[in-house]
């Protein structure tokens, strides 16, 4: 992926995902964000990394969405996923859901952590732990 190619997943809105108003149900927007987050992590090696051996798993701690435009059956959307690490035990994976014509439909911000599955506690330095597990950080961060 080059600097100008932003990571995204293309999804087509399906009829059964609509609410009684005829637009995409609010919970499905979150599902679309989850699809992009998991796809990004899989491309970075989640399934082949040593996360299971290290007894670590990514956990969603908080998710917030701002709805900008409605989505209807048949709309095709691109769902981005940007990963940002700071200091501490958490990191962010944020998504924009954009219609094929470029209209921003929703913005999703998510806070995640890495959980030690034995201790059931978040670990320090999630970026370092993902690197230790063998994740391709260039792919994960879009470098």
């Amino acid at each position: 992926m080059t600097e100008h190619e932003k990571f995204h997943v293309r999804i087509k809105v399906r009829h059964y995902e609509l609410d009684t108003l005829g637009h995409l149900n609010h919970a499905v927007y979150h599902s679309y964000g989850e699809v992009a987050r998991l796809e990004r992590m899989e491309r970075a090696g989640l399934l082949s990394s040593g996360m299971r051996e290290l007894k670590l798993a990514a956990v969603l701690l908080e998710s917030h969405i701002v709805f900008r435009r409605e989505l209807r059956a048949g709309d095709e959307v691109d769902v981005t996923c940007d990963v940002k690490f700071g200091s501490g035990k958490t990191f962010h994976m944020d998504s924009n859901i954009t219609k094929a014509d470029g209209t921003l439909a929703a913005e999703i911000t998510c806070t995640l952590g890495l959980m030690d599955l034995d201790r059931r506690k978040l670990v320090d330095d999630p970026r370092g732990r993902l690197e230790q597990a063998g994740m391709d950080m260039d792919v994960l961060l879009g470098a």
Side-chain angles (χ1 to χ4, degrees):
M1 186 170 5
T2 69
E3 178 182 333
H4 301 291
E5 294 175 17
K6 190 167 187 77
F7 172 87
H8 70 275
V9 175
R10 173 72 47 105
I11 299 174
K12 184 175 181 178
V13 177
R14 295 162 295 245
H15 289 87
Y16 64 83
E17 297 173 324
L18 306 182
D19 62 17
T20 57
L21 298 174
H23 60 240
L24 191 66
N25 179 279
H26 65 93
V28 179
Y29 285 85
H30 288 284
S31 294
Y32 287 3
E34 180 77 357
V35 168
R37 285 191 303 277
L38 288 174
E39 183 66 26
R40 182 105 202 210
M41 292 187 82
E42 285 179 12
R43 288 185 191 180
L46 176 67
L47 298 178
S48 61
S49 74
M51 294 273 287
R52 182 171 294 163
E53 291 80 9
L54 294 174
K55 296 186 179 180
L56 295 173
V59 292
L60 182 64
L61 303 170
E62 180 178 318
S63 183
H64 176 78
I65 189 164
V66 177
F67 301 100
R68 300 289 182 193
R69 295 287 184 273
E70 71 176 348
L71 294 174
R72 301 179 63 83
D75 285 344
E76 289 193 354
V77 296
D78 290 319
V79 186
T80 64
C81 180
D82 296 312
V83 182
K84 298 175 196 100
F85 289 93
S87 59
K89 295 182 178 186
T90 63
F91 59 100
H92 297 273
M93 295 183 84
D94 301 334
S95 297
N96 286 336
I97 300 176
T98 307
K99 291 182 175 186
D101 68 4
T103 303
L104 180 63
E107 299 167 285
I108 305 172
T109 56
C110 294
T111 303
L112 295 95
L114 282 183
M115 180 183 281
D116 178 315
L117 295 175
D118 286 336
R119 296 180 39 242
R120 309 306 286 182
K121 302 274 186 193
L122 295 182
V123 300
D124 291 320
D125 187 23
R127 179 182 177 145
R129 299 297 290 270
L130 289 171
E131 289 172 345
Q132 178 186 7
M135 295 277 286
D136 185 331
M137 298 308 285
D138 287 341
V139 171
L140 187 64
L141 295 170

